[in-house]
């Protein structure tokens, strides 16, 4: 069985994004169902996989990262409203036998992601 994991990289400071709040949702039709809330550790990662075992199934998901709150907590001067605030990454899991790693590379002005393993 595979698993789902994530981490946050703060490219503004060149370090892991520690203390970033995130939420994981599964998308069922037009409904978003909250599966888990988590906070990244000092390495910018979650202490355990977000999904694994019987919980890790094919489907559509969203990760929502509190990037704006993270940068505000770091003392970064941000405009009002924030340009990057909540970062929503919508993705699909097509094969539950594989590992899916969905990182967030973020600054107050941009973000990107990719599928890792």
């Amino acid at each position: 069985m595979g698993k789902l994991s994530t981490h946050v990289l703060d490219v503004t400071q060149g370090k892991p994004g520690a203390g970033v709040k995130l939420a994981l949702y599964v998308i069922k039709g037009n409904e978003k169902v909250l599966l888990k809330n988590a906070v990244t550790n000092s390495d910018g990662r979650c202490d355990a996989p977000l999904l694994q075992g019987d919980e890790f199934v094919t489907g559509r998901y969203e990760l929502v990262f509190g990037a704006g709150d993270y940068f505000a907590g770091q003392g970064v001067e941000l405009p009002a409203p924030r340009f990057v605030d909540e970062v929503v990454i919508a993705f699909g899991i097509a094969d539950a036998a594989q590992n899916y790693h969905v990182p967030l590379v973020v600054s107050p002005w941009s973000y990107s992601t990719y599928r890792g393993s």
Side-chain angles (χ1 to χ4, degrees):
M1 288 295 276
K3 65 183 178 195
L4 173 65
S5 59
T6 190
H7 74 273
V8 178
L9 299 169
D10 175 349
V11 295
T12 303
Q13 301 181 71
K15 66 177 190 173
V20 177
K21 294 179 183 178
L22 62 100
L24 173 66
Y25 296 88
V26 64
I27 310 302
K28 295 186 176 191
N30 292 327
E31 184 181 2
K32 287 173 52 169
V33 178
L34 178 65
L35 296 178
K36 185 172 287 185
N37 287 304
V39 178
T40 58
N41 62 23
S42 62
D43 195 34
R45 300 175 184 274
C46 295
D47 290 329
L50 295 171
L51 294 174
Q52 64 182 347
D54 293 339
E55 294 179 317
F56 189 65
V57 297
T58 60
R60 294 175 39 230
Y61 295 86
E62 282 186 8
L63 274 169
V64 180
F65 296 88
D69 289 346
Y70 163 77
F71 285 115
Q74 296 292 304
V76 176
E77 188 173 327
L78 301 169
R82 298 168 180 166
F83 183 73
V84 171
D85 194 13
E86 284 192 336
V87 175
V88 179
I89 300 174
F91 62 98
I93 294 173
D95 183 351
Q98 295 184 18
N99 291 333
Y100 283 71
H101 184 69
V102 183
L104 175 65
V105 180
V106 66
S107 82
W109 309 108
S110 67
Y111 62 89
S112 66
T113 191
Y114 56 90
R115 182 190 165 194
S117 60

